[in-house]
């Protein structure tokens, strides 16, 4: 590709127009998803299936982002990569730097698409790919769980893609041959989560009945409910009330504690229309991790929070810390010298 010419992607053996990039990513993601679901007949096929689990997930997430805006695929904050994914061929396709799979899913969720995705819980979908590609290993203990995660996440992302292009639906993605297997896996996952939730709530109700039988009244139990969980204070004894919020317990109805994982993004800049110092901020994401009730001991992991209406991710914008500003400045200097060395 020549600089400042329209982007034309190499495709698979034949070029595709930049406008067709979202559909191409969807089609290739579908090919990998079907291979991940297919039976393996030899060791290489097993490795291919493991690799396809993560590859399919990443490409499907990129297809959804590309439907929103292809520039969202660019990993680096360099103009040449942003321009490339905006349709201007500033660098060749093989030089393109894109977001990682987990980052694509996180960005997709930030774009007001409420997918049930947890970077911590769903890491296996990319871990099995990395293990297969970097070391040639496939762990049977984690493979099927990763495959189920791929299926569940893919269903949510397919719905997003289909909202932009109705032809790219689940039948187009899975194919008629794989759809029955997909439906069975989804049904089994939903039933397993429902049963797990019912068992946990039943055990919690037995605990609250035991406590009441011992003569503990609501005043005492309310005091128990207000006790902070061990992780509420950091090493310096400071309250971590940014990652803990109160929520009614689904079992005993006393106030419990919903804990979040916090992810701070890179520093964002807005130079505005003047030559002064830019406005800086950091986007912070709070991902639901676990609910715990100090009274009935109910504990719900992030796989069950959505079933009780507690799975919504929170976002806020905060000022960068001095350490973040220093790290960004050092990274900018290093990038400058790297570009100078590459010229």
């Amino acid at each position: 590709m020549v600089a400042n010419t329209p982007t034309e992607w190499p495709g698979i053996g034949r070029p595709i127009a930049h406008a067709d990039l979202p559909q191409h990513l969807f089609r290739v993601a579908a090919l990998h998803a079907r291979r991940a679901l297919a039976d393996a007949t030899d060791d290489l096929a097993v490795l291919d299936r493991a690799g396809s689990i993560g590859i399919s997930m990443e490409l499907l997430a990129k297809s959804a982002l590309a439907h929103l805006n292809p520039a969202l695929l660019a990993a680096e904050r360099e103009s040449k990569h942003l321009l490339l994914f905006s349709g201007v061929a500033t660098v060749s396709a093989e030089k393109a730097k894109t977001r990682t799979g987990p980052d694509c899913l996180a960005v997709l969720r930030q774009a007001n698409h409420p997918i049930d995705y947890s970077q911590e819980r769903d890491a296996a979908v990319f871990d099995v790919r990395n293990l297969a590609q970097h070391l040639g290993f496939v762990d049977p203990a984690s493979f099927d769980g990763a495959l189920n995660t791929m299926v569940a996440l893919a269903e949510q992302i397919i719905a997003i893609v289909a909202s932009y292009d109705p032809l790219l639906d689940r039948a187009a993605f899975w194919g008629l041959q794989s759809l029955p297997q997909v439906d069975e896996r989804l049904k089994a996952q939903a039933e397993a989560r429902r049963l797990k939730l019912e068992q946990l709530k039943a055990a919690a109700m037995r605990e609250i009945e035991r406590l009441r039988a011992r003569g503990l009244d609501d005043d005492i139990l309310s005091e128990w409910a207000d006790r902070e969980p061990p992780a509420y204070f950091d090493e310096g004894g400071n309250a971590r009330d940014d990652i803990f919020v109160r929520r009614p317990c689904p079992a005993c109805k006393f106030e419990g504690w919903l804990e979040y994982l916090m992810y701070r993004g890179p520093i964002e800049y807005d130079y505005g229309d003047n030559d002064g110092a830019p406005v800086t901020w950091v986007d912070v994401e709070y991902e639901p991790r676990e609910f715990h009730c100090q009274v009935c001991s109910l504990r719900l992991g992030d796989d069950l929070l959505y079933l009780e209406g507690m799975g919504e991710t929170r976002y806020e914008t905060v000022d960068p810390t001095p350490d973040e500003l220093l790290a960004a400045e050092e990274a900018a200097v290093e990038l400058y010298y790297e570009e100078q060395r590459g010229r």
Side-chain angles (χ1 to χ4, degrees):
M1 288 183 283
V2 181
N4 296 325
T5 60
T7 301
E8 183 179 74
W9 299 97
I12 305 177
R14 61 184 185 278
I16 64 169
H18 180 69
D20 296 329
L21 181 60
Q23 293 82 2
H24 173 79
L25 292 168
F26 182 92
R27 185 174 71 86
V28 181
L31 293 176
H32 279 286
R34 296 178 195 184
R35 182 167 74 173
L37 290 169
D39 291 332
T41 57
D42 53 45
D43 286 351
L44 182 58
V46 173
L47 289 168
D48 285 342
R49 288 186 71 196
S52 285
I53 289 175
I55 296 171
S56 174
M57 199 74 270
E58 180 169 333
L59 292 180
L60 183 58
K62 286 179 175 176
S63 174
L65 288 181
H67 275 88
L68 289 169
N69 185 342
L72 292 172
L73 301 181
E76 299 294 334
R77 296 177 178 276
E78 297 178 48
S79 58
K80 60 185 178 182
H81 297 293
L82 290 169
L83 285 170
L84 175 65
F85 286 104
S86 297
V88 181
T90 50
V91 294
S92 58
E94 60 268 20
K95 301 294 184 181
K97 295 182 180 180
T98 64
R99 296 181 184 273
T100 65
D103 194 24
C104 287
L105 287 166
V107 172
L108 186 62
R109 190 174 56 189
Q110 291 173 4
N112 293 324
H113 290 295
I115 58 174
D116 180 12
Y117 168 68
S118 165
Q119 294 185 45
E120 182 179 54
R121 181 193 68 210
D122 300 325
V125 76
F126 297 112
D127 289 346
V128 293
R129 174 194 62 180
N130 296 341
L131 190 62
Q133 293 187 342
H134 300 312
L135 287 173
F137 299 149
V138 178
D139 183 3
S142 59
F143 181 88
D144 201 57
L147 189 57
N148 283 336
T149 299
M150 181 203 77
V151 167
L153 287 173
E155 281 288 300
Q156 300 176 68
I157 301 173
I158 291 167
I160 295 171
V161 172
S163 69
Y164 292 93
D165 186 343
L167 294 178
L168 303 181
D169 59 10
R170 63 192 306 263
F173 187 81
W174 300 114
L176 297 179
Q177 186 174 357
S178 298
L179 267 177
Q181 181 187 163
V182 169
D183 290 337
E184 283 300 314
R185 286 182 177 274
L186 291 171
K187 181 180 178 181
Q189 290 179 65
E191 179 60 24
R193 284 195 298 269
R194 184 193 64 79
L195 181 60
K196 180 180 178 181
L197 179 60
E198 288 183 356
Q199 291 174 337
L200 290 173
K201 290 171 72 172
M205 291 305 298
R206 288 194 296 271
E207 175 63 13
I208 197 69
E209 290 171 2
R210 184 184 70 83
L211 294 174
R212 292 192 184 282
R214 291 173 51 192
L216 299 177
D217 59 22
D218 285 354
D219 290 338
I220 295 177
L221 295 179
S222 294
E223 290 182 7
W224 286 18
D226 291 337
R227 293 180 302 182
E228 296 88 356
Y232 185 77
F233 298 98
D234 62 19
E235 295 178 354
N238 301 306
R240 305 171 68 190
D241 50 12
D242 54 340
I243 63 169
F244 283 92
V245 298
R246 308 303 302 273
R247 289 288 187 273
C249 176
C252 70
K253 309 307 178 186
F254 287 95
E255 289 288 303
W257 298 87
L258 178 58
E259 181 184 359
Y260 288 83
L261 291 172
M262 181 177 65
Y263 299 98
R264 295 178 68 92
I267 297 178
E268 304 287 350
Y269 300 88
D270 184 0
Y271 290 89
D273 299 326
N274 54 58
D275 297 329
V279 176
T280 60
W281 71 91
V282 171
D283 291 325
V284 183
E285 175 182 340
Y286 296 93
E287 181 180 292
R289 179 179 181 271
E290 182 182 72
F291 173 84
H292 182 224
C293 178
Q294 299 284 70
V295 178
C296 66
S297 299
L298 178 67
R299 191 179 295 272
L300 302 180
D302 55 7
D303 58 329
L304 301 178
L305 293 177
Y306 266 84
L307 297 179
E308 292 294 342
M310 293 187 284
E312 184 175 350
T313 301
R314 298 189 292 120
Y315 303 96
E316 69 176 4
T317 300
V318 300
D319 293 330
T321 65
D323 288 343
E324 288 173 328
L325 288 170
L326 178 60
E329 181 179 341
E330 292 175 345
V333 171
E334 178 60 30
L335 179 60
Y336 171 79
Y337 284 119
E338 183 179 321
E339 289 181 338
Q340 294 300 310
R341 289 192 294 267
R343 290 181 178 178

